[in-house]
Amino acid sequence: MSNKPIGIFDSGVGGTSIWKEVHQLLPNENTIYLSDSSNAPYGPKGKEKITALSIKNTELLLKKGCKLIIVACNTATTNSIDYLRENYNVPFIGIEPAIKPAALNTTTNAVGILATKGTLSSALFSHTSGRFASHIKIVEQEGEGIVELIESGKLYSNEMESLLSTYLKPMVKANIDYLVLGCTHYPYLIPILEELLPDHVKIIDSGEAVARQTKVILEQNGLKNTKIFIPRTEFYTNGSVKVMQSLLGEKFKIDLLDF
Ligand code: DGL
């Protein structure tokens, strides 16, 4: 049993979509969330820089006493989780695009994937898609500009709508029946994506799976907080408190922190 917090970090506000799933499945757990918005987007930065930023976030969470760390960012996971696991002595949970369930269930044999440049170009992503999806057509699309719009509070904007319609066009043309969201910012786009996509296209993301995996790893390591109490939730951003508040709701206090 441990009442130490679970640490969660992302390049920005997107990982709050993961925090929500974790908080729902593990309501007793204390959590600390870091939004590294001043360094967003991570996507175009390259493996070395992304790893350096992941180390910085990890060390801050460890300093705050976290018992397990969720890398709530596909880009940071696919580029740096091996390094983190080798170098720090806490369990790490990562997130990767859910290409496997899409490849197993497609009936049109075409699946779309929207992710950052850093994720699509990573060795981990090509390994996973080679392993599970080599028999189907994968329409890959870099979500260039999406993270920036969300981070600047323009989730619902004409710019976002026109960017997404452009990105979805080749996928619709290829007759995809699954769209895999490969970035934790993207679940916030689901209402817009549903408007733009044909009805038969199903959208999948990995948020719930990350929460389930977190529960399993806590149990396996005897780290679950079994006491019933009101959990402590801490949110830190080095970017805009206002943007993060609009995604989380007014109920939670968000602190500005220089990290
Ligand atoms: N939320 C991050 C992800 O899942 C966004 C990456 C970025 O900042 O480009 O990949």
Side-chain angles (χ1 to χ4, degrees), residues 6-10 15 18-19 21-22 54 58 68-85 90-98 119 124 128 181-184 205-215 217-218:
I6 293 174
I8 304 178
F9 77 82
D10 179 35
I18 305 298
W19 175 85
E21 300 282 357
V22 172
S54 300
T58 296
L68 171 148
I69 292 179
I70 302 175
V71 183
C73 174
N74 291 257
T75 313
T77 298
T78 51
N79 284 276
S80 71
I81 201 157
D82 290 347
Y83 180 91
L84 299 176
R85 286 189 172 131
V90 289
F92 285 89
I93 310 287
I95 180 162
E96 273 190 80
T119 295
L124 191 54
T128 309
L181 302 184
C183 170
T184 55
D205 78 270
S206 323
E208 218 186 300
V210 168
R212 281 198 307 269
Q213 178 66 0
T214 304
K215 186 167 180 251
I217 298 297
L218 286 178

Side-chain angles (χ1 to χ4, degrees), residues 50-237:
I50 296 167
T51 305
L53 292 166
S54 300
I55 290 171
K56 168 191 71 106
N57 299 329
T58 296
E59 293 197 346
L60 178 53
L61 289 171
L62 291 177
K63 219 191 268 169
K64 289 183 175 291
C66 292
K67 61 184 174 184
L68 171 148
I69 292 179
I70 302 175
V71 183
C73 174
N74 291 257
T75 313
T77 298
T78 51
N79 284 276
S80 71
I81 201 157
D82 290 347
Y83 180 91
L84 299 176
R85 286 189 172 131
E86 274 160 31
N87 287 279
Y88 297 96
N89 204 15
V90 289
F92 285 89
I93 310 287
I95 180 162
E96 273 190 80
I99 203 95
K100 184 180 168 186
L104 286 176
N105 292 309
T106 177
T107 54
T108 61
N109 287 326
V111 163
I113 161 133
L114 191 60
T116 69
K117 184 178 175 190
T119 295
L120 293 174
S121 62
S122 68
L124 191 54
F125 176 72
S126 63
H127 176 77
T128 309
S129 55
R131 188 155 160 229
F132 298 112
S134 56
H135 60 293
I136 58 156
K137 184 176 169 64
I138 300 186
V139 188
E140 288 181 16
Q141 176 63 55
E142 268 179 36
E144 204 185 331
I146 297 176
V147 167
E148 290 91 323
L149 284 176
I150 296 175
E151 290 291 328
S152 58
K154 291 183 182 157
L155 171 58
Y156 295 106
S157 61
N158 292 337
E159 285 142 285
M160 183 67 88
E161 212 163 295
S162 77
L163 206 57
L164 291 178
S165 343
T166 310
Y167 291 165
L168 296 178
K169 225 170 254 160
M171 300 190 187
V172 174
K173 207 166 154 218
N175 195 23
I176 63 158
D177 57 356
Y178 281 89
L179 170 63
V180 177
L181 302 184
C183 170
T184 55
H185 282 68
Y186 300 171
Y188 288 112
L189 303 172
I190 289 174
I192 313 171
L193 292 169
E194 282 175 345
E195 286 286 314
L196 295 171
L197 284 166
D199 287 347
H200 71 279
V201 178
K202 292 175 219 44
I203 300 172
I204 44 180
D205 78 270
S206 323
E208 218 186 300
V210 168
R212 281 198 307 269
Q213 178 66 0
T214 304
K215 186 167 180 251
V216 169
I217 298 297
L218 286 178
E219 281 166 358
Q220 278 177 1
N221 289 276
L223 289 174
K224 230 174 147 217
N225 189 3
T226 45
K227 274 203 186 131
I228 307 286
F229 75 130
I230 297 170
R232 213 175 62 243
T233 52
E234 294 175 41
F235 293 94
Y236 299 101
T237 179

Side-chain angles (χ1 to χ4, degrees), residues 9-31:
F9 77 82
D10 179 35
S11 64
V13 293
T16 53
S17 64
I18 305 298
W19 175 85
K20 286 177 186 172
E21 300 282 357
V22 172
H23 186 60
Q24 194 175 321
L25 188 69
L26 298 161
N28 284 346
E29 296 293 335
N30 295 314
T31 53

